[in-house]
Amino acid sequence: MPNRKKPKVYITRRLPDAVETRMRELFDAELNITDEPRTQPELVEAMRSADVLVPTVTDRIDAALIEQAGSQMKLIANFGNGVDNIDVEAAQKKGITVTNTPNVLSDDTADMTMALMLAVPRRLIEGAEVLVGTGGNWKGWSPTWMLGHRLGGKRLGIIGMGRIGTAVARRAKAFGLSIHYHNRRRVDPATEDQLEATYWDSLDQMLARVDIVSVHCPSTPATFHLLSARRLELMKPGAYIVNTARGGIIDEDALVKALKEGRLSGAGLDVFEHEPAVDKRLVKLASEGKVVLLPHMGSATIEGRIDMGDKVIINIRTLFDGHRPPDRVLPLRN
């Protein structure tokens, strides 16, 4: 950006070195060297002094914070696909553009979903713990020891058939799973035919018929506790559930109860309702081999994070070049 003042960009967390280096080259970028979460006073000061805020999914950018933004604040460039951490409507009213980083994490999240889908019924964590927890003191193979369940031949129910849900479906089909899905809109016929997928306009009806449920819908007020106690009770006895979307989509209290009572065989969770806090009951269930828990690792690849950073940079440059950013997010309209 020759012959013009560089926009002041405030970044809330550590980003990959390649991304931070490029941001320092292009912008007047304030980095977070320690990676400690920014405090509320620090975020307020950033909104009052910076031109661009680059938050992550762990930063709550609510209406009260946005209201304190100075007139120079032009862009909240979220380092993340979802924007449920940002009050987009409040930002629009304040004249601040919001962008995100879509379409770069689908494969990484789909890979992790399949990892959880394998880890739970095949008891991978329990098996690994036998060796690690006993210092390698393993008694040897036995025909009836550590038996799990195969994936092939099972029915997979995908909630939310967007890019990630579709990527999961492609992988799952290769493992011999039968694909079922519930979505606001039916996918195009070519994709449906290729995946041999069955569409259910009723989520209740799909839940009652599948062996594994995988959650991929966005987090919105309409999807909060979408998998409620009532809906979890609809699932087949012995079914599994995997969530790499957002924790609040599942009623965790109801999930814990279903797992403790044995109505569900297991769960693989990469996200939690009160993240970063994890329900101690889930941790206990994990120690009993009924749940596999991961600390929000679904998109955690070096390649994915760099791609996200590139999108943030493009959105910033596009806006300050006088154009509409390619990943602009608008408020949801009910």
Side-chain angles (χ1 to χ4, degrees):
M1 296 181 181
N3 303 321
R4 104 174 49 166
K5 181 181 177 182
K6 293 180 178 181
K8 184 175 181 180
V9 177
Y10 187 91
I11 303 163
T12 65
R13 299 297 294 268
R14 275 293 305 271
L15 302 180
D17 287 346
V19 175
E20 291 186 339
T21 300
R22 189 62 176 146
M23 284 198 173
R24 288 299 296 268
E25 290 173 344
L26 294 170
F27 315 125
D28 177 12
E30 182 172 340
L31 308 180
N32 183 342
I33 304 301
T34 66
D35 200 33
E36 289 293 322
R38 301 291 195 178
T39 65
Q40 190 69 11
E42 287 174 330
L43 290 174
V44 169
E45 177 57 28
M47 296 296 286
R48 290 174 175 171
S49 61
D51 303 304
V52 180
L53 179 71
V54 181
T56 69
V57 296
T58 61
D59 298 303
R60 182 167 176 77
I61 314 301
D62 58 17
L65 178 63
I66 291 169
E67 184 57 34
Q68 298 183 71
S71 60
Q72 84 299 323
M73 173 59 64
K74 302 299 182 187
L75 174 64
I76 299 173
N78 201 42
F79 187 86
N81 187 30
V83 290
D84 48 301
N85 59 312
I86 301 170
D87 191 323
V88 180
E89 185 171 358
Q92 185 183 55
K93 290 178 180 178
K94 193 75 173 177
I96 301 171
T97 299
V98 177
T99 60
N100 64 344
T101 60
N103 311 333
V104 296
L105 304 176
S106 300
D107 286 333
D108 297 330
T109 305
D111 288 345
M112 188 62 82
T113 301
M114 289 306 304
L116 285 170
M117 210 176 294
L118 283 164
V120 180
R122 290 304 306 271
R123 304 174 68 179
L124 297 188
I125 304 301
E126 291 177 82
E129 184 60 26
V130 168
L131 299 181
V132 175
T134 63
N137 186 24
W138 174 44
K139 295 181 180 180
W141 181 84
S142 168
T144 58
W145 184 67
M146 288 296 291
L147 298 181
H149 292 277
R150 66 166 60 128
L151 290 187
K154 302 295 190 299
R155 293 186 177 93
L156 171 64
I158 295 174
I159 302 176
M161 197 70 153
R163 291 181 178 86
I164 295 174
T166 301
V168 169
R170 297 188 192 284
R171 288 159 172 76
K173 186 175 184 295
F175 276 84
L177 286 152
S178 172
I179 308 302
H180 296 249
Y181 75 98
H182 169 76
N183 204 44
R184 287 182 298 173
R185 289 182 293 273
R186 195 163 183 165
V187 301
D188 65 89
T191 299
E192 197 170 272
D193 289 346
Q194 185 182 49
L195 296 172
E196 300 179 46
T198 300
Y199 172 66
W200 295 88
D201 59 359
S202 167
L203 176 58
D204 288 3
Q205 290 185 14
M206 185 185 79
L207 291 174
R209 291 168 170 83
V210 297
D211 304 294
I212 304 169
V213 171
S214 192
V215 181
H216 301 288
C217 57
S219 175
T220 68
T223 62
F224 178 73
H225 283 188
L226 181 69
L227 290 179
S228 59
R230 180 188 69 80
R231 284 201 166 115
L232 291 176
E233 288 178 359
L234 295 175
M235 292 176 62
K236 294 170 63 174
Y240 297 89
I241 190 164
V242 174
N243 188 8
T244 55
R246 287 290 188 269
I249 297 170
I250 302 177
D251 182 335
E252 271 191 7
D253 280 334
L255 177 62
V256 167
K257 184 178 180 182
L259 290 165
K260 290 176 71 173
E261 293 176 352
R263 289 187 285 109
L264 295 178
S265 282
L269 306 175
D270 185 48
V271 290
F272 307 94
E273 185 170 347
H274 304 290
E275 193 171 318
V278 179
D279 193 310
K280 300 302 182 186
R281 297 171 297 171
L282 285 174
V283 176
K284 185 175 187 298
L285 287 166
S287 71
E288 298 168 357
K290 297 179 181 178
V291 184
V292 174
L293 305 177
L294 294 178
H296 206 139
M297 294 169 56
S299 62
T301 67
I302 294 172
E303 297 86 350
R305 295 288 188 257
I306 291 175
D307 288 346
M308 290 167 70
D310 288 343
K311 275 192 168 283
V312 170
I313 290 169
I314 289 170
N315 284 316
I316 297 172
R317 295 198 69 181
T318 303
L319 182 73
F320 284 89
D321 281 342
H323 305 291
R324 176 175 173 171
D327 302 310
R328 183 185 179 194
V329 178
L330 297 175
L332 288 173
R333 300 301 182 192
N334 295 326

